[in-house]
Amino acid sequence: MLAAFAFNTAENLPIGLLELISAGLRVPVSAVGLLVTGYGLTVAVASLPLTHAVRAVPRRHVLTGVLTALVVSSLLAALATSYWPLLVARLLTACGQALFWAVMGPVAVGLFAPEVRGRVLGALSVAGSLALVLGVPAGTWLGRRSDWPVPVAVPAGLGLLSLVTIAALLPTSRPEEEPAAYGAGPDTRRFATVLAAGTLSAAGAFTGYTYLVTFLGEVSGFSPGAVSALLMAFGVACLAGVSVTGALLDRFPRAALITAVATQAVGLLGLYAAGADPVAAVVFLVLTGGALGPVFMTTQNEMLRCAPERTDIALAANSGAYNAGIAAGAALGGLILPLAGVRSVFLAGGLLAAGACAVLLGGRLLPGR
């Protein structure tokens, strides 16, 4: 959980430090934004090949390796005095995160009985969501009271604590012999269905989320101060969503997935249709935030259940596809925004999420294999 918090905080810290990094390194804000985009694309591209490359390495060694990468890359990023060394350090962190999410799920759930594995995934997801609710705001606050390298270095300390704990306590075993190394009910068609739905859902969510601040200001009419508070509410809703879903995931795994995706579609389409009304905007904003974390968590849970072969490879494919969806959604929103306005961005996002619902419902009509 601490490692998940550290990785997700490191990933998203530049969002809160955009202006500070821009001023400190004397580069445009858009270039700093590429630190986030490049990170996501690296995770999308590297997840599957990196996981395949270490498929025979004991998971204790893999996890200590990725946490070493987090520690080293965070320190290199904090010491960077120009843009390109900072970008290289960020890409090293991204490679570590790509492996972390592929390997950590099977390792963590394999330490517990099968009937509580959903709750274990829920705990990991809560920690990841706390990065948006606590890690990034705290890092932004710290950066404004010192300078941007200070919060950028903090994940190194968190990663070091996680590294020492895992190195000392996690058993060493062959990857294929671990309890959650293979899917509980291998199903190639279900795997493909969940992978496609997760990618569409991520694209839909980030088509809108990337331009949420613009929407809340221009369409809903909120002041900059109110928008900041609403972004915090969005993060709290995301944390609440993963907490509630995690508690129910073991009992209703398939229902949890379709409910999360459908809630996201309702939230995005509701913002498009009624977002000009401030009260309605808040309601649909909370629905959208409450679904964002659970969608990824429930797709991860399904990967552990229906993986055709090794679960780490399935989780790597899911993480890569999800991050590809994020990048595609942000790009799609950027194309639509100047042509049709920010409301249309949310319409497109909602339709993609609705498409994800259709894929899941259609997949239930197909026989498993």
Side-chain angles (χ1 to χ4, degrees):
M1 288 177 70
L2 181 61
F5 175 80
F7 266 118
N8 279 18
T9 298
E11 177 182 6
N12 293 288
L13 262 178
I15 294 174
L17 302 172
L18 281 176
E19 295 180 356
L20 291 175
I21 296 175
S22 173
L25 298 183
R26 297 180 181 178
V27 295
V29 171
S30 59
V32 182
L34 288 175
L35 296 175
V36 179
T37 306
Y39 192 107
L41 288 174
T42 301
V43 174
V45 172
S47 292
L48 204 52
L50 285 178
T51 304
H52 190 267
V54 300
R55 65 190 182 280
V57 181
R59 283 3 199 170
R60 175 171 168 269
H61 298 159
V62 174
L63 286 171
T64 54
V66 299
L67 288 167
T68 299
L70 173 63
V71 172
V72 171
S73 61
S74 296
L75 292 176
L76 289 175
L79 294 171
T81 56
S82 61
Y83 179 78
W84 292 109
L86 176 59
L87 178 61
V88 171
R90 290 277 300 169
L91 297 185
L92 176 59
T93 309
C95 288
Q97 182 162 333
L99 261 179
F100 174 80
W101 284 112
V103 172
M104 191 59 187
V107 171
V109 302
L111 297 172
F112 295 84
E115 58 268 20
V116 298
R117 287 178 176 176
R119 274 176 275 175
V120 176
L121 274 182
L124 292 174
S125 297
V126 166
S129 298
L130 274 173
L132 295 177
V133 179
L134 177 62
V136 174
T140 303
W141 177 88
L142 182 60
R144 289 174 178 169
R145 280 153 183 79
S146 52
D147 200 0
W148 67 266
V150 177
V152 167
V154 169
L158 302 178
L160 182 60
L161 181 56
S162 301
L163 190 162
V164 171
T165 304
I166 287 173
L169 300 178
L170 189 70
T172 302
S173 59
R174 294 170 60 87
E176 64 273 15
E177 296 174 352
E178 294 184 349
Y182 295 92
D187 187 332
T188 302
R189 285 180 176 165
R190 178 64 180 170
F191 169 77
T193 297
V194 173
L195 198 64
T199 306
L200 282 173
S201 177
F206 283 84
T207 297
Y209 177 63
T210 306
Y211 303 96
L212 184 59
V213 171
T214 303
F215 182 93
L216 293 174
E218 292 185 4
V219 178
S220 304
F222 289 106
S223 66
V227 169
S228 297
L230 288 171
L231 290 177
M232 180 64 72
F234 185 95
V236 171
C238 180
L239 180 61
V242 295
S243 299
V244 172
T245 305
L248 301 173
L249 197 52
D250 291 305
R251 296 173 59 193
F252 312 105
R254 292 200 174 193
L257 174 56
I258 188 66
T259 299
V261 174
T263 301
Q264 178 182 291
V266 170
L268 290 166
L269 292 173
L271 283 168
Y272 161 73
D277 178 79
V279 175
V282 171
V283 171
F284 289 115
L285 175 74
V286 169
L287 284 177
T288 305
L292 184 62
V295 169
F296 183 67
M297 178 176 67
T298 51
T299 58
Q300 294 284 83
N301 186 60
E302 282 295 299
M303 292 294 115
L304 290 170
R305 292 163 54 86
C306 68
E309 297 181 7
R310 288 264 294 268
T311 52
D312 55 356
I313 300 297
L315 288 170
N318 189 55
S319 179
Y322 191 86
N323 279 278
I326 291 174
L332 177 62
L335 290 174
I336 294 173
L337 184 64
L339 297 175
V342 72
R343 284 186 71 236
S344 296
V345 169
F346 280 78
L347 173 61
L351 291 176
L352 285 170
C357 289
V359 168
L360 289 172
L361 293 173
R364 297 183 69 173
L365 303 177
L366 297 174
R369 185 178 65 185

